Amino acid sequence: MNAQTERFTIDGPVGAIEIAIDRPAGAPDSLRGITLVAHPHPLFGGTLDNKVAQTLARAFVQLGYAVVRPNFRGVGKSAGEHDKGIGERDDLLAVIAWMRRQPGWETLPLALAGFSFGTFVLSHVAKTLEDAGTPAQRLVFVGTAASNWDVATVPADTLVIHGEKDDTVPLQSVLDWARPQTLPVVVIPGGEHFFHGLLPLLKQIVVDAWRH
């Protein structure tokens, strides 16, 4: 993504997990936190290089966070096969455990940011962390996969962003998921699932919301 990006594998529950790490200039001394970014459905071409996932990473790098973008099972150099979100949840928990072992990262605030299928997986990661008494600082969900998957209830300060014209995950399904939680949804007019032509706006919404 930029000169501050590294890419390698770490050990996971079923073998290697490929990750990319994006670091802001001046890291590690000036880090404000760490972020895990989860990509869209692997069986439909989702990878850590997805443009929306990279946009989320750029937003958090601008905010002073180090960002880890893993590849789900069977994608790139990640071992295993697609596990309908269950194994993927376990893999992301393993990635978070690895992040917490990195020098200087042990006590930094942890943000979770996902796109599409990644929101489903992260909703259950967040619930596991909360149940363990180690909740994430905040969540950012883009293109929340509410029409296709059992996305768990999320904290009230979760930033949910959706495209008005998303025909992969209809906006109405996201509103139906958010309504019982009284959870606001930021709607980008004219936006479709991958926010073509609107990624700079998506990035700015995340940055502005985080700063306020």
Side-chain angles (χ1 to χ4, degrees), residues 51-63:
K51 295 300 184 183
V52 177
Q54 289 194 52
T55 298
L56 289 170
R58 290 188 179 99
F60 277 96
V61 166
Q62 182 175 328
L63 289 163

Side-chain angles (χ1 to χ4, degrees), residues 6 8 81 98 145 155 187:
E6 305 172 74
F8 52 90
E81 298 180 355
W98 177 88
V187 178

Side-chain angles (χ1 to χ4, degrees), residues 13 29 49 141 182:
D29 294 340
D49 291 317
F141 279 10
T182 319

Side-chain angles (χ1 to χ4, degrees), residues 17 45 65 73 119 126 156 177 196 205:
I17 300 175
Y65 284 62
R73 294 185 178 193
T119 64
W177 165 75
H196 292 303
I205 290 171

Side-chain angles (χ1 to χ4, degrees), residues 27-150:
D29 294 340
S30 60
L31 281 182
R32 294 181 56 198
I34 53 178
T35 303
L36 177 67
V37 172
H39 69 69
H41 204 297
L43 298 186
F44 297 98
T47 77
L48 63 80
D49 291 317
N50 171 267
K51 295 300 184 183
V52 177
Q54 289 194 52
T55 298
L56 289 170
R58 290 188 179 99
F60 277 96
V61 166
Q62 182 175 328
L63 289 163
Y65 284 62
V67 179
V68 175
R69 293 177 283 133
N71 263 333
F72 283 134
R73 294 185 178 193
V75 179
K77 296 181 180 178
S78 290
E81 298 180 355
H82 176 63
D83 195 29
K84 300 180 180 179
I86 299 171
E88 287 79 4
R89 175 203 60 196
D90 295 343
D91 288 350
L92 293 192
L93 289 168
V95 172
I96 291 170
W98 177 88
M99 292 167 71
R100 286 302 191 197
R101 293 195 296 271
Q102 303 315 296
W105 290 17
E106 300 92 339
T107 59
L108 286 174
L110 169 69
L112 304 177
F115 170 49
S116 197
F117 175 77
T119 64
F120 160 63
V121 180
L122 282 182
S123 72
H124 293 279
V125 168
K127 187 176 187 308
T128 301
L129 293 175
E130 185 173 3
D131 290 346
T134 56
Q137 175 192 19
R138 197 175 178 191
L139 283 63
V140 176
F141 279 10
V142 177
T144 304
S147 64
N148 310 98
W149 300 88
D150 181 19

